[in-house]
Amino acid sequence: MNTQRFSEALSWLVDLYDGDVRKSSGAPAIHHPLGVCDLAMGAGGDEDTAIAALFHDFGEDKGGVNMLDEIEQRFGARVARIVKDCSDTLPSDGEDKEPWIERKVAHIKHIQHLESDSRIVLAADTLHNTRDHTRGIRVNGDAWWDNFRANVYVDRERTPEIGVASTMWYLDSKYKALSRASKNDIPASLLCYDLCCAIEDMQEELCHCSKLTYWSFTDVNKYVQDKYGDLF
């Protein structure tokens, strides 16, 4: 690994995340990209993959297409391509993001077309977020969901129950898409196995700690299937 290049990536990450906190837990936001990088490197990701893991949210949260251009200039086209692949939207400063369900459906559908390095980072990102959800549910109970806006329905107002069901649908769908696309890819498939276990842990935590009515996947999956067709 080129330690100087990686150090430059870390330094830029620290600068851009200065003062940022996770909306869910209030923890320093930088812990998430560092955690994703750790998982990606642990699964066998190379230097470009590790740097892209540090930057994986830059496209969505730090400037959209203009940020991708800067990443390419500073760290190369491959890093920029991985970050783009991990983004479900690329809003410029001040622009609103597209509706939640439309972004997530499009994101899941494009997983089958991704290269191995992008799937490694995306699986690591999803795994880290899933574990964060499990910890948040354990510590905060149902209040954890107050900070999220997940809703698969375009014709129903979000409720806490819909938020839980929508989040579980999204995590499960991403796992299935990543797993199917990574059958012959050992690094990504290892992360997918860990992701499957993490989703099961999250479901178990919901059963133990949540007072919300836990919806069946059947209703959510049928709605998405009827409206958007096959995702995989």
Coordinates of all heavy atoms in Angstrom, one line a residue, residues 138-196:
R138 N -30.9 -1.7 20.4 CA -30.6 -2.2 21.8 C -30.5 -1.1 22.8 O -31.0 -1.2 23.9 CB -29.3 -3.0 21.7 CG -28.9 -3.7 23.0 CD -27.7 -4.5 22.8 NE -27.8 -5.5 21.8 CZ -27.0 -5.7 20.8 NH1 -25.9 -5.0 20.7 NH2 -27.2 -6.7 19.9
V139 N -29.9 0.0 22.4 CA -29.7 1.1 23.4 C -30.9 2.0 23.5 O -31.2 2.5 24.6 CB -28.4 2.0 22.9 CG1 -28.3 3.2 23.8 CG2 -27.2 1.1 23.0
N140 N -31.6 2.3 22.4 CA -32.6 3.3 22.3 C -34.0 2.8 22.2 O -35.0 3.6 22.3 CB -32.3 4.3 21.2 CG -31.0 5.0 21.3 OD1 -30.8 5.9 22.2 ND2 -30.0 4.6 20.5
G141 N -34.2 1.5 21.9 CA -35.5 1.0 21.7 C -36.2 1.6 20.5 O -35.5 2.0 19.5
D142 N -37.5 1.8 20.6 CA -38.2 2.3 19.4 C -37.9 3.8 19.1 O -38.2 4.2 17.9 CB -39.7 2.2 19.7 CG -40.2 0.7 19.7 OD1 -39.5 -0.1 19.1 OD2 -41.2 0.4 20.3
A143 N -37.3 4.5 20.0 CA -36.9 5.9 19.7 C -35.8 5.9 18.6 O -35.7 7.0 18.0 CB -36.4 6.6 21.0
W144 N -35.2 4.8 18.4 CA -34.1 4.8 17.4 C -34.7 5.2 16.0 O -34.0 5.8 15.2 CB -33.6 3.4 17.3 CG -32.6 3.1 16.2 CD1 -32.8 2.4 15.1 CD2 -31.2 3.6 16.1 NE1 -31.7 2.4 14.3 CE2 -30.7 3.1 14.9 CE3 -30.4 4.4 16.9 CZ2 -29.4 3.4 14.5 CZ3 -29.2 4.7 16.5 CH2 -28.6 4.2 15.3
W145 N -35.9 4.9 15.8 CA -36.5 5.1 14.4 C -37.0 6.5 14.2 O -37.3 6.8 13.1 CB -37.7 4.1 14.2 CG -37.2 2.7 14.4 CD1 -37.4 1.8 15.4 CD2 -36.4 1.9 13.4 NE1 -36.8 0.6 15.2 CE2 -36.2 0.7 14.0 CE3 -35.9 2.2 12.2 CZ2 -35.5 -0.3 13.3 CZ3 -35.1 1.3 11.5 CH2 -34.9 0.0 12.1
D146 N -36.9 7.3 15.2 CA -37.3 8.7 15.0 C -36.4 9.5 14.1 O -36.8 10.5 13.5 CB -37.3 9.5 16.4 CG -38.4 8.9 17.3 OD1 -39.3 8.2 16.9 OD2 -38.3 9.2 18.5
N147 N -35.2 9.0 13.8 CA -34.2 9.7 13.0 C -34.2 9.2 11.6 O -33.3 9.7 10.8 CB -32.8 9.6 13.6 CG -32.7 10.2 15.0 OD1 -32.9 11.3 15.2 ND2 -32.5 9.3 16.0
F148 N -35.1 8.3 11.2 CA -35.0 7.8 9.9 C -36.4 8.1 9.1 O -37.4 8.2 9.8 CB -34.8 6.3 9.9 CG -33.5 5.9 10.5 CD1 -33.3 5.7 11.9 CD2 -32.3 5.9 9.8 CE1 -32.1 5.4 12.5 CE2 -31.1 5.6 10.3 CZ -31.0 5.4 11.7
R149 N -36.3 8.1 7.8 CA -37.4 8.4 7.0 C -37.8 7.3 5.9 O -38.5 7.6 4.9 CB -37.2 9.7 6.2 CG -37.0 10.9 7.2 CD -38.3 11.2 7.9 NE -38.2 12.3 8.9 CZ -38.0 12.1 10.2 NH1 -37.9 10.9 10.6 NH2 -37.9 13.1 11.0
A150 N -37.3 6.1 6.2 CA -37.6 5.0 5.2 C -39.1 4.8 5.0 O -39.8 4.7 6.0 CB -36.9 3.8 5.7
N151 N -39.5 4.7 3.8 CA -40.9 4.4 3.5 C -41.1 3.9 2.1 O -40.8 4.6 1.1 CB -41.8 5.7 3.7 CG -43.3 5.4 3.5 OD1 -43.7 4.3 3.3 ND2 -44.1 6.4 3.6
V152 N -41.4 2.6 1.9 CA -41.5 2.1 0.6 C -42.8 2.6 -0.1 O -42.9 2.5 -1.4 CB -41.6 0.5 0.6 CG1 -40.3 -0.1 1.2 CG2 -42.8 0.0 1.3
Y153 N -43.7 3.1 0.6 CA -45.0 3.4 0.1 C -45.1 4.9 -0.4 O -44.6 5.8 0.3 CB -46.1 3.3 1.1 CG -46.3 1.8 1.6 CD1 -45.8 1.4 2.8 CD2 -46.9 0.9 0.8 CE1 -45.9 0.1 3.2 CE2 -47.0 -0.4 1.2 CZ -46.5 -0.8 2.4 OH -46.7 -2.1 2.9
V154 N -45.6 5.1 -1.6 CA -45.7 6.5 -2.1 C -47.2 7.0 -1.8 O -47.4 8.1 -2.0 CB -45.4 6.5 -3.6 CG1 -44.0 6.2 -3.9 CG2 -46.4 5.6 -4.4
D155 N -48.0 6.1 -1.4 CA -49.4 6.4 -1.2 C -49.9 6.3 0.3 O -51.0 6.3 0.6 CB -50.3 5.6 -2.1 CG -50.1 4.1 -1.9 OD1 -49.2 3.7 -1.1 OD2 -50.8 3.3 -2.5
R156 N -48.9 6.1 1.2 CA -49.2 6.0 2.6 C -48.2 6.9 3.4 O -47.0 6.9 3.1 CB -49.1 4.6 3.1 CG -50.0 3.6 2.4 CD -49.9 2.2 3.1 NE -50.4 1.2 2.3 CZ -50.4 -0.1 2.6 NH1 -49.9 -0.5 3.8 NH2 -50.8 -1.0 1.8
E157 N -48.8 7.6 4.4 CA -47.9 8.4 5.2 C -47.1 7.4 6.1 O -47.5 6.4 6.6 CB -48.8 9.3 6.1 CG -48.0 10.3 7.0 CD -48.8 11.3 7.7 OE1 -50.0 11.4 7.3 OE2 -48.3 11.9 8.6
R158 N -45.8 7.8 6.3 CA -44.9 7.0 7.1 C -45.4 6.9 8.5 O -45.8 7.9 9.2 CB -43.5 7.5 7.1 CG -42.5 6.7 7.8 CD -41.1 7.4 7.9 NE -40.2 6.6 8.6 CZ -40.1 6.6 10.0 NH1 -40.9 7.3 10.7 NH2 -39.2 5.8 10.6
T159 N -45.3 5.7 9.1 CA -45.5 5.5 10.5 C -44.3 4.8 11.0 O -43.5 4.3 10.2 CB -46.7 4.5 10.8 OG1 -46.5 3.2 10.2 CG2 -48.0 5.1 10.2
P160 N -44.1 4.7 12.3 CA -42.9 4.0 12.8 C -42.8 2.5 12.3 O -41.8 2.0 12.0 CB -43.0 4.0 14.3 CG -43.8 5.3 14.6 CD -44.7 5.4 13.4
E161 N -44.0 1.9 12.3 CA -44.1 0.5 11.8 C -43.6 0.4 10.3 O -42.9 -0.5 9.9 CB -45.5 -0.1 12.0 CG -45.9 -0.4 13.4 CD -46.4 0.8 14.1 OE1 -46.4 1.9 13.5 OE2 -46.8 0.7 15.3
I162 N -44.1 1.3 9.5 CA -43.7 1.3 8.1 C -42.2 1.6 8.0 O -41.5 1.0 7.1 CB -44.5 2.4 7.3 CG1 -46.0 1.9 7.1 CG2 -43.9 2.7 6.0 CD1 -46.9 2.9 6.5
G163 N -41.7 2.5 8.8 CA -40.3 2.8 8.8 C -39.4 1.5 9.1 O -38.4 1.3 8.4
V164 N -39.8 0.7 10.1 CA -39.1 -0.5 10.4 C -39.2 -1.5 9.3 O -38.2 -2.0 8.8 CB -39.7 -1.1 11.7 CG1 -39.0 -2.5 11.9 CG2 -39.5 -0.2 12.9
A165 N -40.4 -1.7 8.8 CA -40.6 -2.6 7.7 C -39.8 -2.2 6.4 O -39.3 -3.1 5.7 CB -42.1 -2.8 7.4
S166 N -39.8 -0.9 6.1 CA -39.1 -0.4 4.9 C -37.6 -0.6 5.1 O -37.0 -1.0 4.1 CB -39.5 1.0 4.7 OG -40.9 1.2 4.5
T167 N -37.1 -0.3 6.2 CA -35.7 -0.5 6.5 C -35.3 -2.0 6.3 O -34.3 -2.3 5.7 CB -35.3 0.0 7.9 OG1 -35.6 1.4 8.0 CG2 -33.8 -0.2 8.1
M168 N -36.1 -2.9 6.9 CA -35.7 -4.3 6.8 C -35.9 -4.8 5.4 O -35.0 -5.6 4.9 CB -36.7 -5.1 7.7 CG -36.5 -4.8 9.2 SD -34.7 -5.1 9.8 CE -34.4 -6.8 9.3
W169 N -36.9 -4.3 4.7 CA -37.0 -4.6 3.2 C -35.7 -4.2 2.5 O -35.2 -5.0 1.7 CB -38.2 -4.0 2.6 CG -38.1 -4.0 1.1 CD1 -38.5 -5.0 0.3 CD2 -37.6 -3.0 0.3 NE1 -38.2 -4.7 -1.0 CE2 -37.7 -3.4 -1.1 CE3 -37.1 -1.7 0.5 CZ2 -37.3 -2.7 -2.2 CZ3 -36.7 -0.9 -0.6 CH2 -36.8 -1.4 -1.9
Y170 N -35.2 -3.0 2.7 CA -34.1 -2.5 2.0 C -32.8 -3.3 2.3 O -32.1 -3.7 1.4 CB -33.9 -1.0 2.3 CG -32.7 -0.4 1.6 CD1 -32.6 -0.5 0.3 CD2 -31.8 0.3 2.4 CE1 -31.5 0.1 -0.4 CE2 -30.7 0.9 1.7 CZ -30.6 0.8 0.3 OH -29.5 1.4 -0.3
L171 N -32.6 -3.5 3.6 CA -31.4 -4.3 3.9 C -31.4 -5.7 3.4 O -30.4 -6.2 2.8 CB -31.2 -4.3 5.5 CG -31.0 -3.0 6.2 CD1 -31.0 -3.2 7.7 CD2 -29.7 -2.4 5.7
D172 N -32.6 -6.4 3.5 CA -32.7 -7.7 3.0 C -32.6 -7.8 1.4 O -31.9 -8.7 0.9 CB -34.1 -8.3 3.4 CG -34.3 -9.7 3.0 OD1 -33.5 -10.6 3.5 OD2 -35.1 -10.0 2.1
S173 N -33.2 -6.8 0.8 CA -33.1 -6.7 -0.7 C -31.6 -6.5 -1.2 O -31.2 -7.1 -2.1 CB -34.0 -5.7 -1.3 OG -35.4 -6.0 -1.0
K174 N -30.9 -5.6 -0.5 CA -29.5 -5.4 -0.8 C -28.7 -6.6 -0.6 O -27.8 -6.9 -1.4 CB -29.0 -4.2 0.0 CG -29.4 -2.8 -0.5 CD -28.7 -1.7 0.3 CE -27.3 -1.5 0.0 NZ -26.7 -0.4 0.7
Y175 N -29.0 -7.3 0.5 CA -28.2 -8.5 0.8 C -28.5 -9.5 -0.4 O -27.5 -10.1 -0.9 CB -28.6 -9.1 2.1 CG -28.4 -10.6 2.2 CD1 -27.0 -11.1 2.2 CD2 -29.4 -11.5 2.1 CE1 -26.8 -12.4 2.2 CE2 -29.1 -12.9 2.1 CZ -27.8 -13.3 2.1 OH -27.6 -14.7 2.1
K176 N -29.7 -9.7 -0.8 CA -30.0 -10.7 -1.8 C -29.4 -10.3 -3.1 O -28.8 -11.2 -3.8 CB -31.5 -10.8 -2.0 CG -32.2 -11.5 -0.8 CD -33.7 -11.5 -1.0 CE -34.4 -12.3 0.2 NZ -35.9 -12.2 0.1
A177 N -29.4 -9.0 -3.5 CA -28.8 -8.6 -4.7 C -27.3 -8.8 -4.7 O -26.7 -9.2 -5.7 CB -29.2 -7.1 -5.0
L178 N -26.7 -8.4 -3.6 CA -25.2 -8.5 -3.5 C -24.8 -10.0 -3.5 O -23.8 -10.4 -4.1 CB -24.8 -7.8 -2.2 CG -24.7 -6.3 -2.2 CD1 -24.6 -5.7 -0.8 CD2 -23.5 -5.8 -3.1
S179 N -25.6 -10.8 -2.8 CA -25.2 -12.2 -2.7 C -25.3 -12.9 -4.0 O -24.4 -13.7 -4.4 CB -26.2 -12.9 -1.7 OG -25.8 -14.3 -1.5
R180 N -26.4 -12.6 -4.8 CA -26.5 -13.2 -6.1 C -25.5 -12.8 -7.1 O -25.0 -13.5 -7.9 CB -27.9 -12.9 -6.7 CG -29.0 -13.6 -5.9 CD -30.4 -13.2 -6.4 NE -31.5 -13.7 -5.5 CZ -32.8 -13.7 -5.8 NH1 -33.2 -13.2 -7.0 NH2 -33.6 -14.2 -5.0
A181 N -25.0 -11.5 -7.0 CA -24.0 -11.0 -7.9 C -22.6 -11.4 -7.5 O -21.7 -11.2 -8.3 CB -24.1 -9.5 -7.9
S182 N -22.4 -12.0 -6.3 CA -21.1 -12.3 -5.7 C -20.8 -13.8 -5.5 O -20.0 -14.1 -4.8 CB -20.9 -11.5 -4.4 OG -21.2 -10.1 -4.5
K183 N -21.6 -14.6 -6.2 CA -21.5 -16.1 -6.0 C -20.0 -16.6 -6.2 O -19.6 -17.5 -5.5 CB -22.4 -16.8 -6.9 CG -23.9 -16.7 -6.5 CD -24.8 -17.5 -7.4 CE -26.3 -17.3 -7.0 NZ -27.2 -18.1 -7.9
N184 N -19.4 -16.0 -7.2 CA -18.0 -16.5 -7.6 C -16.9 -15.5 -7.1 O -15.8 -15.5 -7.7 CB -17.9 -16.7 -9.1 CG -18.9 -17.8 -9.6 OD1 -19.0 -18.8 -8.9 ND2 -19.6 -17.5 -10.6
D185 N -17.3 -14.7 -6.2 CA -16.4 -13.6 -5.7 C -16.2 -13.8 -4.2 O -17.0 -13.4 -3.4 CB -17.0 -12.2 -6.0 CG -16.2 -11.0 -5.6 OD1 -15.2 -11.3 -4.9 OD2 -16.6 -9.9 -5.9
I186 N -15.1 -14.4 -3.8 CA -14.9 -14.7 -2.4 C -14.9 -13.5 -1.5 O -15.6 -13.5 -0.5 CB -13.6 -15.5 -2.2 CG1 -13.7 -16.9 -2.9 CG2 -13.2 -15.7 -0.8 CD1 -12.5 -17.7 -2.9
P187 N -14.1 -12.4 -1.8 CA -14.2 -11.3 -0.8 C -15.6 -10.7 -0.6 O -16.0 -10.5 0.6 CB -13.3 -10.2 -1.5 CG -12.3 -11.0 -2.3 CD -13.2 -12.2 -2.8
A188 N -16.3 -10.5 -1.7 CA -17.7 -9.9 -1.5 C -18.6 -10.9 -0.9 O -19.5 -10.6 -0.1 CB -18.2 -9.5 -2.9
S189 N -18.5 -12.2 -1.2 CA -19.4 -13.2 -0.7 C -19.1 -13.4 0.8 O -20.1 -13.7 1.6 CB -19.2 -14.6 -1.4 OG -17.9 -15.1 -1.2
L190 N -17.9 -13.2 1.3 CA -17.6 -13.3 2.7 C -18.4 -12.2 3.5 O -18.9 -12.4 4.5 CB -16.1 -13.2 3.0 CG -15.3 -14.5 2.6 CD1 -13.8 -14.2 2.8 CD2 -15.7 -15.7 3.4
L191 N -18.3 -11.0 2.9 CA -19.0 -9.9 3.5 C -20.5 -10.1 3.5 O -21.3 -9.7 4.4 CB -18.7 -8.6 2.8 CG -17.3 -8.0 3.1 CD1 -17.0 -6.9 2.1 CD2 -17.2 -7.5 4.5
C192 N -21.0 -10.7 2.4 CA -22.5 -11.0 2.3 C -22.9 -12.0 3.4 O -24.0 -11.9 3.9 CB -22.8 -11.6 0.9 SG -22.8 -10.4 -0.4
Y193 N -22.0 -13.0 3.7 CA -22.4 -13.9 4.7 C -22.5 -13.2 6.1 O -23.4 -13.4 6.8 CB -21.3 -15.0 4.8 CG -21.5 -16.0 6.0 CD1 -22.4 -17.0 5.9 CD2 -20.8 -15.8 7.2 CE1 -22.6 -17.8 7.0 CE2 -21.0 -16.6 8.3 CZ -21.9 -17.6 8.2 OH -22.1 -18.5 9.3
D194 N -21.5 -12.3 6.3 CA -21.6 -11.5 7.6 C -22.8 -10.6 7.6 O -23.4 -10.4 8.6 CB -20.3 -10.7 7.7 CG -19.1 -11.5 8.0 OD1 -19.2 -12.6 8.4 OD2 -18.0 -10.9 7.8
L195 N -23.2 -10.1 6.4 CA -24.4 -9.3 6.3 C -25.6 -10.0 6.6 O -26.5 -9.6 7.4 CB -24.5 -8.6 4.9 CG -25.7 -7.8 4.6 CD1 -25.8 -6.6 5.6 CD2 -25.6 -7.2 3.2
C196 N -25.7 -11.3 6.1 CA -26.9 -12.1 6.4 C -27.0 -12.3 7.9 O -28.1 -12.2 8.5 CB -26.7 -13.4 5.7 SG -28.1 -14.6 6.0

